[in-house]
Amino acid sequence: MSATFSRIPLRQMCRPSFMRPVKNDQTERKPQYFCYYLDMIIRTDASKCRSILQGYSHFNNGMEDFWYYSDVAFETGRSYALISEYQQGCMYLSYLLGGQIGFKDGLEIYLDDTGITQETLKGISWNLEPYYESYKNLIVRKSIEKALKNRFVEESFEQLAEGFCLTPERYDRKLSQLSGERWSASAAVGYASGKKVFYAPYNSSNFYSSNARLKLMINYLTSHDCMVLLPVGSDMYLKDCVDQCIYIEQKSVWWKSKQ
């Protein structure tokens, strides 16, 4: 998969992969600022892969997945449905771009034209599903307000609560205690923390059929220069919610191409 993207002007913003504040004087701490393109392109390069088979990973939620190495590219400010059957690559690709999988067998990943590490990807990424993450017990309002103090984004808590459709009666709950609002609240925390890539675990199409907040969450993130990656079994519902559906190559196609 290849694509041509246009660039928009540079501006000064916090680079999420370097989010640790630096001390400017004895009394004040401010975030460190870097100059970078808003429409970042993250792409994989499989040209140097030594394996003729596939990448494999077992995830912290008990799931596992395989992905046949290939060249793909994704742009911030857009949302993607990564479509395949379970264990056919969509979750592997989501977690790879989320910085949760090491670059194996010679696979390389680039941020625009600069090679990056797994740690760099991890630093700019956020899992929409918090249940198996270290931040699962964060309190919604408290954690968002704490993140906003670092000034990675300009909005207030009230603006984020409205943008992500958060309900006041759940402001004081842990992320792991939420149900239909869990991903929206998690996204709000990640966005307030300056993250740029929002990824998720594999789910069936039915998971998205009753999630009314999903479209609002996707629109808010992409309109603020973030990337959204949603692995799913089919395009039944997500095709109307995302900018692009990416159909992951199946094993049968790979074997046929080698005959």
Side-chain angles (χ1 to χ4, degrees):
M1 183 180 68
S2 61
T4 301
F5 301 105
S6 61
R7 292 194 180 280
I8 57 181
L10 289 166
R11 75 178 182 187
Q12 292 290 119
M13 290 185 66
C14 295
R15 184 66 174 269
S17 56
F18 303 96
M19 288 197 303
R20 296 186 181 277
V22 293
K23 189 174 291 187
N24 293 292
D25 53 44
Q26 297 301 315
T27 60
E28 185 179 11
R29 294 176 67 85
K30 295 181 179 179
Q32 190 171 3
Y33 286 85
F34 293 82
C35 202
Y36 74 107
Y37 286 107
L38 292 182
D39 59 337
M40 296 186 298
I41 301 169
I42 298 177
R43 64 180 179 86
T44 65
D45 182 353
S47 62
K48 298 179 182 179
C49 286
R50 297 180 294 273
S51 173
I52 63 171
L53 294 176
Q54 60 198 5
Y56 164 80
S57 185
H58 185 85
F59 307 107
N60 59 0
N61 60 1
M63 304 177 79
E64 60 183 6
D65 200 5
F66 306 82
W67 179 57
Y68 288 88
Y69 298 126
S70 61
D71 297 343
V72 292
F74 300 91
E75 182 184 10
T76 54
R78 292 181 61 82
S79 56
Y80 301 89
L82 307 178
I83 301 169
S84 77
E85 295 183 4
Y86 177 55
Q87 294 187 345
Q88 293 292 298
C90 63
M91 185 170 172
Y92 186 103
L93 186 55
S94 175
Y95 274 56
L96 176 70
L97 298 177
Q100 301 302 310
I101 301 175
F103 308 165
K104 303 174 183 178
D105 302 316
L107 180 70
E108 296 178 333
I109 298 184
Y110 291 84
L111 178 58
D112 293 327
D113 296 321
T114 303
I116 57 175
T117 65
Q118 178 187 357
E119 287 303 309
T120 299
L121 272 180
K122 189 174 183 179
I124 64 174
S125 303
W126 189 266
N127 194 341
L128 292 170
E129 177 53 74
Y131 195 79
Y132 295 96
E133 302 297 332
S134 59
Y135 47 85
K136 66 179 181 180
N137 291 323
L138 292 181
I139 306 298
V140 175
R141 179 166 192 152
K142 183 178 179 180
S143 57
I144 293 175
E145 289 181 334
K146 182 178 180 180
L148 288 175
K149 292 179 180 179
N150 290 317
R151 294 180 288 174
F152 297 127
V153 297
E154 299 176 351
E155 294 93 330
S156 66
F157 172 80
E158 289 73 22
Q159 289 173 318
L160 291 185
E162 180 180 0
F164 286 96
C165 202
L166 307 181
T167 52
E169 56 268 27
R170 295 176 176 84
Y171 287 171
D172 296 323
R173 294 187 184 180
K174 297 177 181 179
L175 293 177
S176 59
Q177 294 175 330
L178 304 177
S179 53
E181 201 169 314
R182 186 169 67 251
W183 280 26
S184 295
S186 175
V189 176
Y191 174 77
S193 301
K195 304 301 181 179
K196 299 295 290 182
V197 178
F198 291 80
Y199 66 100
Y202 172 88
N203 280 285
S204 67
S205 296
N206 286 337
F207 172 83
Y208 295 100
S209 65
S210 59
N211 197 331
R213 291 183 175 85
L214 177 66
K215 182 64 174 176
L216 291 173
M217 179 195 74
I218 292 174
N219 287 346
Y220 195 93
L221 290 173
T222 55
S223 66
H224 289 79
D225 309 308
C226 297
M227 178 192 302
V228 181
L229 304 167
L230 302 174
V232 65
S234 78
D235 64 4
M236 185 179 299
Y237 299 107
L238 277 183
K239 64 183 178 182
D240 297 320
C241 297
V242 299
D243 294 310
Q244 186 175 353
C245 292
I246 305 296
Y247 298 87
I248 308 299
E249 187 177 58
Q250 300 295 310
K251 289 184 178 181
S252 60
V253 176
W254 183 87
W255 284 113
K256 188 179 296 185
S257 68
K258 296 298 180 180
Q259 293 178 354

